[in-house]
Amino acid sequence: MFSLLKTRSKARKPAPPEMRTLDVAGRLMPLTIKQHDRATRITLRIEPGGRALKMTVPKGLATREVNAFLDRHQGWLLTKLAKFSTDTGLRDGGEILLRGVSHRIQHSGSLRGLTEAVSIDGIPVLRVSGMPEHVGRRIAAFLKKEARADLARLATMHAAMIRAPIRSISMKDTRSRWGSCSSEGNLSFSWRIVMAPPSVIDYLAAHEVAHLKEMNHGPHFWALCRKLCPGMEEAKSWLKRHGSQLHAIDFD
């Protein structure tokens, strides 16, 4: 009896995910295949930004069935991935969004200097120094700095309105979510949001601050979020339509 109970109490370790590279018409895509005990069918999902694929399959499914599913869905993948451009445009003469405004990238040619947003003859320009091959990284560093300034200001303002203390604010480059709030009052944001219009940046700050009072997505949370950001619905709609495009930009 003791040995039987002991055997039953052992938790079975889930099978480790299988990592592959899938060739979709010459475009090499990282693919994660994960078995799930409760899965009854195969699901294939394109990760935010269109830079990876995730597949969930029933436990014990034969490899030949996984391969057959992938072969059948090559056309679907091609159609869905077509909207994600492989050209980042992060070079001299290219363009990048900053607070919803397209800025022309101007590589200064200087090895030293700050990345700065300026207006030249009425045209928004992002002036970038350093080696040409480091333009993407320098732009990313600039966006992180700008995002931190915007979100710290907005989060502090919203938190003061509901009298909720913020313990810390950090910037991350997450693909699965735009922000998070811990029970200790630590706020985290994706710095990519600074490419969105100001109203969308404000919504994200309000959303996470509202979690300081409501750690859920129930009616009280959304009512508080709407109170902090009256333009919530429009901002949510913008993120739904354009968010994947911001995630798709490869700054490396």
Side-chain angles (χ1 to χ4, degrees):
M1 176 65 73
F2 177 76
S3 60
L4 178 62
L5 289 174
K6 186 176 181 180
T7 301
R8 287 180 177 176
S9 67
K10 289 183 179 179
R12 294 183 179 180
K13 293 183 178 180
E18 178 186 351
M19 309 301 294
R20 291 193 195 179
T21 299
L22 184 66
D23 187 337
V24 184
R27 186 170 179 173
L28 300 180
M29 301 289 297
L31 170 64
T32 302
I33 303 175
K34 186 176 182 180
Q35 295 186 24
H36 198 289
D37 289 338
R38 297 184 180 180
T40 57
R41 60 191 179 89
I42 301 174
T43 58
L44 180 62
R45 181 165 65 94
I46 300 174
E47 295 283 45
R51 297 169 64 184
L53 306 172
K54 185 176 181 180
M55 194 174 189
T56 301
V57 302
K59 187 176 180 180
L61 188 70
T63 300
R64 65 177 181 277
E65 294 189 48
V66 173
N67 295 337
F69 182 93
L70 291 170
D71 287 341
R72 291 197 305 271
H73 288 79
Q74 280 277 321
W76 178 84
L77 284 171
L78 275 172
T79 301
K80 293 296 183 181
L81 290 171
K83 67 177 182 178
F84 300 106
S85 173
T86 55
D87 181 10
T88 64
L90 300 180
R91 57 180 175 273
D92 188 49
E95 294 188 349
I96 188 70
L97 287 171
L98 174 61
R99 300 184 181 96
V101 177
S102 182
H103 284 61
R104 189 182 70 211
I105 300 170
Q106 183 186 82
H107 184 236
S108 67
S110 172
L111 295 182
R112 295 180 179 275
L114 297 174
T115 300
E116 56 182 349
V118 298
S119 179
I120 300 177
D121 297 328
I123 299 174
V125 172
L126 188 64
R127 187 177 289 158
V128 188
S129 61
M131 299 294 289
E133 60 268 29
H134 297 155
V135 166
R137 297 180 197 174
R138 285 183 169 262
I139 292 175
F142 172 79
L143 293 178
K144 290 175 189 177
K145 183 186 71 174
E146 296 296 301
R148 178 178 290 278
D150 283 7
L151 289 163
R153 174 179 55 81
L154 291 167
T156 300
M157 177 187 70
H158 289 309
M161 291 179 64
I162 61 173
R163 297 182 180 179
I166 297 173
R167 183 176 180 182
S168 69
I169 297 176
S170 62
M171 298 296 115
K172 296 184 179 180
D173 191 13
T174 52
R175 295 289 195 275
S176 59
R177 58 175 66 183
W178 285 103
S180 64
C181 172
S182 74
S183 57
E184 293 80 20
N186 300 312
L187 303 184
S188 176
F189 299 99
S190 168
W191 54 263
R192 290 173 181 260
I193 197 67
V194 80
M195 292 185 279
S199 60
V200 180
I201 303 172
D202 181 54
Y203 160 65
L204 179 60
H207 183 112
E208 299 309 330
V209 166
H211 278 311
L212 294 172
K213 289 285 189 180
E214 298 286 342
M215 291 295 290
N216 55 68
H217 285 103
H220 292 297
F221 165 79
W222 289 115
L224 180 57
C225 193
R226 188 174 289 105
K227 179 180 178 181
L228 293 173
C229 179
M232 179 184 77
E233 298 300 338
E234 293 80 0
K236 285 175 63 178
S237 178
W238 192 97
L239 270 181
K240 186 175 182 180
R241 295 194 312 270
H242 305 291
S244 291
Q245 298 170 23
L246 305 187
H247 282 307
I249 302 173
D250 186 356
F251 290 90
D252 295 327

